[in-house]
């Protein structure tokens, strides 16, 4: 057995290497058949692998509430799906980079600025803290996935990005539908019935096949935004997926996602349909529609005032806000302790921070906060993890993203500006931009990166998002 076991292990390693080599060659040949490459389909791979990970996991909201360890979601199916997804993304992104340098080579100012800021962001938030921070660790291959993916999206062709938006719409909305269909089959997997921190008492929280309900709400909002600017050809299909997306968004009870969605909705409607056309009262149908809308608003406001005046609602609200749950809602679910830990670690190493293991398994055990998987604030997490150097580079990169999102607002029907604003809102209570993984929580960031890398002249020539997907 001392000889047979190593031989079989070596043979297995050889066959695995051979399989991945053949898969890479096959994917490159497939990519060559598509004029815009395969990177436009990356959202399918990410959402499908995440869905399989949760579907075959041991997660059950009946047993553990909403707190899960990494071992809860780990299983052999998830391991294979994640490896295949990483392989697909790396080959597709690498092919896109090669296409750009061999064929496109359009080094205009904003594309260069975005590429340089992303490179500096990756270097000072991954490479430097991993080697020179207070807790250095060895390099991991998975850290380079985000580097290759980011450069690949910045190098995408114009029509490739437009197709990417269409495919993102399809993937996000079908991901929501997939989770909803599992409610009667495996309710404890996708639905938390004992959730008590929402605004509506007794309403369950929907996580679907996402790792967390907040991420489920994020995917639903992104799918609805893409649906607004690039709807399906069938009106019935549009209304069906609007209902699917709104259900997933509302029942996810992700409060910061609600805020970003409500702020984004009028922006997208304005740039897509134009306010001057939207408020026309010339037709009889238009007059009846707006009379019904404003009448409904007046009825709801009146009912709300009656409840406050005669239903003793004011005392109930005051008592709720003074309770522990109410305090958590007002303060973004009580994350002050996590922020204090991150800032205290930054104080020990102001320049380069604690390092990438911040809020890792060992660090959580040391501080006794097993639920704290991140700093729950982008800037605070950057300070604790990468210090002043990494935070400065991150801030520069975020400002460029926000600026370019605003610059491209008209050409993208407001989608680039909405994505930038949503990232900014989520940064207050989450860490939406992480370079350690290419998982589901980074989808808005990479979608924005690809969208604002398109040549502005392409848009100014009259080619817009809608109607370009077949070219």
């Amino acid at each position: 057995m001392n000889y047979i076991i190593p031989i079989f292990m070596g043979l297995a390693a050889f066959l695995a290497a051979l399989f991945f080599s053949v898969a890479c060659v096959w994917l490159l040949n497939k990519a060559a058949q598509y004029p815009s490459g395969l990177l436009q389909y990356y959202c399918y791979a990410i959402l499908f692998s995440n869905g399989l990970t949760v579907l075959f996991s041991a997660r059950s909201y009946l047993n553990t509430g909403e707190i899960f360890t990494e071992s809860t979601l780990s299983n052999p199916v998830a391991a294979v799906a994640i490896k295949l997804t990483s392989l697909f993304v790396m080959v597709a992104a690498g092919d896109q980079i090669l296409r750009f340098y061999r064929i496109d080579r359009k080094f205009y100012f904003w594309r260069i600025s975005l590429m340089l800021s992303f490179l500096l962001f990756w270097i000072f938030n991954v490479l430097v803290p991993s080697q020179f921070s207070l807790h250095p660790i060895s390099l991991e291959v998975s850290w380079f996935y985000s580097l290759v993916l980011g450069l690949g999206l910045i190098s995408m062709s114009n029509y490739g990005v437009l197709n990417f938006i269409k495919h993102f719409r399809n993937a996000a909305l079908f991901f929501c539908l997939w989770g909803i269909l599992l409610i009667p089959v495996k309710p404890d997997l996708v639905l938390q019935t004992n959730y008590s921190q929402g605004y509506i008492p007794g309403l369950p929280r929907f996580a679907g096949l996402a790792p967390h309900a907040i991420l489920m709400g994020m995917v639903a909002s992104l799918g609805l935004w893409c649906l607004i600017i690039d709807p399906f050809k069938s009106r019935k299909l549009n209304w069906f997926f609007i209902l699917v997306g709104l259900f997933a968004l509302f029942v996810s009870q992700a409060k910061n996602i609600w805020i970003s969605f409500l702020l984004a909705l009028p922006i997208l409607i304005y740039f897509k349909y134009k306010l001057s056309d939207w408020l026309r009262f010339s037709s009889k149908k238009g007059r009846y529609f707006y009379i019904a809308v404003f009448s409904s608003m007046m009825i709801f406001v009146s009912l709300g005032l009656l409840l406050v005046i005669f239903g003793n609602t004011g005392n109930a609200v005051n008592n709720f806000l003074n309770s522990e749950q109410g305090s958590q809602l007002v303060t973004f679910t009580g994350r002050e302790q996590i922020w204090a830990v991150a800032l205290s670690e930054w104080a020990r190493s102001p320049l380069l921070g604690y390092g990438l293991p911040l809020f890792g398994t060992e660090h959580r055990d040391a501080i006794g906060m097993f639920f704290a998987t991140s700093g729950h604030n982008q800037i605070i997490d950057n300070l604790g993890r990468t210090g002043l150097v990494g935070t400065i580079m991150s801030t520069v990169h975020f400002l460029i993203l926000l600026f370019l999102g605003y610059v491209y607002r008209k050409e993208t029907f407001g989608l680039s500006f909405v994505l930038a604003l949503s990232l900014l809102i989520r940064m207050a209570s989450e860490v939406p931009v992480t370079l350690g993984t290419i998982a589901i929580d980074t989808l808005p960031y990479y979608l924005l990166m690809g969208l604002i890398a398109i040549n502005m002249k392409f848009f100014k020539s009259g080619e817009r998002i809608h109607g370009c997907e077949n070219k």
Side-chain angles (χ1 to χ4, degrees):
M1 294 302 294
N2 291 336
Y3 293 100
I4 293 175
I5 291 176
I7 291 174
F8 274 101
M9 291 180 64
L11 181 62
F14 171 76
L15 291 176
L18 181 63
F19 169 77
F20 281 108
S21 300
V22 172
C24 287
V25 173
W26 182 79
L27 283 173
L28 286 172
N29 289 331
K30 279 293 181 181
Q33 300 176 11
Y34 291 83
S36 300
L38 292 175
L39 192 56
Q40 55 188 308
Y41 305 105
Y42 123 89
C43 50
Y44 291 113
I46 295 294
L47 290 173
F48 183 71
S49 61
N50 274 269
L52 283 181
T53 299
V54 175
L55 182 62
F56 291 97
S57 69
R59 186 175 77 177
S60 176
Y61 283 110
L62 294 178
N63 299 328
T64 57
E66 63 173 334
I67 304 299
F68 300 102
T69 60
E70 295 177 359
S71 61
T72 306
L73 298 179
S74 62
N75 54 82
V77 176
V80 174
I82 291 173
K83 288 180 180 179
L84 291 177
T85 298
S86 302
L87 174 65
F88 172 80
V89 171
M90 290 303 97
V91 172
D95 171 71
Q96 197 63 60
I97 295 172
L98 293 176
R99 286 170 182 261
F100 174 74
Y101 287 105
R102 286 186 308 176
I103 302 172
D104 197 4
R105 296 182 180 178
K106 293 180 180 178
F107 291 97
Y108 60 94
F109 179 75
W110 289 125
R111 176 171 277 179
I112 295 176
S113 302
L114 182 60
M115 190 173 293
L116 288 177
S117 69
F118 174 72
L119 281 171
L120 292 174
F121 177 43
W122 187 88
I123 290 171
F124 288 97
N125 281 267
V126 175
L127 189 61
V128 171
S130 68
Q131 303 301 309
F132 305 104
S133 64
L134 194 61
H135 294 80
I137 55 177
S138 58
L139 291 174
E140 296 182 11
V141 177
S142 60
W143 295 345
F144 293 89
Y145 295 168
S146 59
L147 176 64
V148 178
L149 176 59
L151 293 177
L153 287 170
I154 296 174
S155 306
M156 283 186 74
S157 65
N158 296 327
Y159 289 115
V161 175
L162 301 183
N163 289 335
F164 182 37
I165 297 170
K166 179 185 68 174
H167 294 303
F168 195 98
R169 174 202 66 192
N170 298 344
L173 293 175
F174 275 100
F175 184 78
C176 297
L177 179 61
W178 190 11
I180 293 173
L181 292 177
L182 286 173
I183 291 178
V185 180
K186 300 186 71 173
D188 60 317
L189 177 71
V190 299
L191 207 62
Q192 183 184 358
T193 56
N194 58 351
Y195 185 65
S196 60
Q197 296 181 0
Y199 290 119
I200 303 175
L203 181 68
R205 196 180 200 192
F206 177 67
L209 290 175
H212 195 277
I214 293 177
L215 296 178
M216 184 71 256
M218 179 203 74
V219 172
S221 65
L222 291 173
L224 289 171
W225 291 343
C226 292
L227 181 63
I228 290 174
I229 67 167
D230 191 6
F232 294 103
K233 294 181 179 180
S234 170
R235 180 174 293 183
K236 293 181 180 179
L237 198 61
N238 285 325
W239 278 110
F240 173 74
F241 279 109
I242 286 174
L243 295 176
V244 167
L246 288 177
F247 174 86
L249 174 63
F250 180 72
V251 186
S252 70
Q253 302 198 57
K255 305 163 192 69
N256 54 348
I257 302 296
W258 288 355
I259 294 172
S260 61
F261 179 79
L262 292 176
L263 288 176
L265 194 59
I267 297 175
L268 293 175
I269 292 176
Y270 170 75
F271 283 107
K272 177 66 179 180
Y273 299 104
K274 297 302 180 184
L275 195 61
S276 59
D277 296 332
W278 193 37
L279 294 179
R280 283 182 180 174
F281 292 93
S282 57
S283 64
K284 185 179 294 186
K285 183 179 179 181
R287 286 197 299 269
Y288 291 153
F289 173 76
Y290 289 106
I291 289 173
V293 169
F294 290 121
S295 299
S296 301
M297 291 175 61
M298 292 177 64
I299 291 172
F300 281 117
V301 170
S302 301
L303 290 175
L305 290 174
L306 290 174
L307 285 174
V308 171
I309 294 173
F310 299 105
N312 200 22
T313 309
N315 292 332
V317 171
N318 186 48
N319 293 333
F320 176 73
L321 293 178
N322 290 329
S323 65
E324 182 180 355
Q325 294 178 359
S327 176
Q328 289 181 347
L329 289 175
V330 174
T331 59
F332 286 103
T333 64
R335 288 163 179 159
E336 299 91 339
Q337 293 180 349
I338 299 175
W339 297 342
V341 170
L343 292 176
S344 65
E345 298 293 356
W346 171 54
R348 294 189 180 95
S349 179
L351 195 60
L352 296 175
Y354 180 92
L356 298 182
L358 181 71
F359 295 115
T361 303
E362 294 182 1
H363 184 245
R364 293 200 301 268
D365 293 338
I367 62 177
M369 301 172 67
F370 63 92
F371 53 86
T373 56
S374 70
H376 285 287
N377 178 282
Q378 185 75 54
I379 300 301
I380 294 177
D381 186 85
N382 285 143
L383 285 172
R385 197 179 301 270
T386 63
L388 279 174
V389 176
T391 304
I392 290 172
M393 294 302 172
S394 302
T395 304
V396 171
H397 182 59
F398 298 153
L399 289 176
I400 290 177
L401 290 177
L402 185 61
F403 175 74
L404 290 179
Y406 176 77
V407 168
Y408 281 79
R409 66 195 186 281
K410 293 182 180 179
E411 288 73 21
T412 61
F413 293 119
L415 182 59
S416 62
F417 187 43
V418 161
L419 287 171
L421 284 179
S422 67
L423 286 176
L424 189 63
I425 293 171
R426 289 181 61 205
M427 285 178 185
S429 60
E430 299 174 45
V431 186
V433 183
T434 55
L435 297 179
T437 63
I438 53 172
I440 187 173
D441 54 332
T442 59
L443 285 174
Y445 169 66
Y446 288 118
L447 176 60
L448 175 62
M449 286 255 290
L451 192 58
I452 60 181
I454 300 181
N455 193 339
M456 180 68 80
K457 294 180 181 179
F458 173 77
F459 282 123
K460 290 183 177 179
S461 64
E463 304 284 8
R464 294 254 179 147
I465 288 177
H466 186 64
C468 294
E469 61 269 11
N470 294 323
K471 294 189 177 181

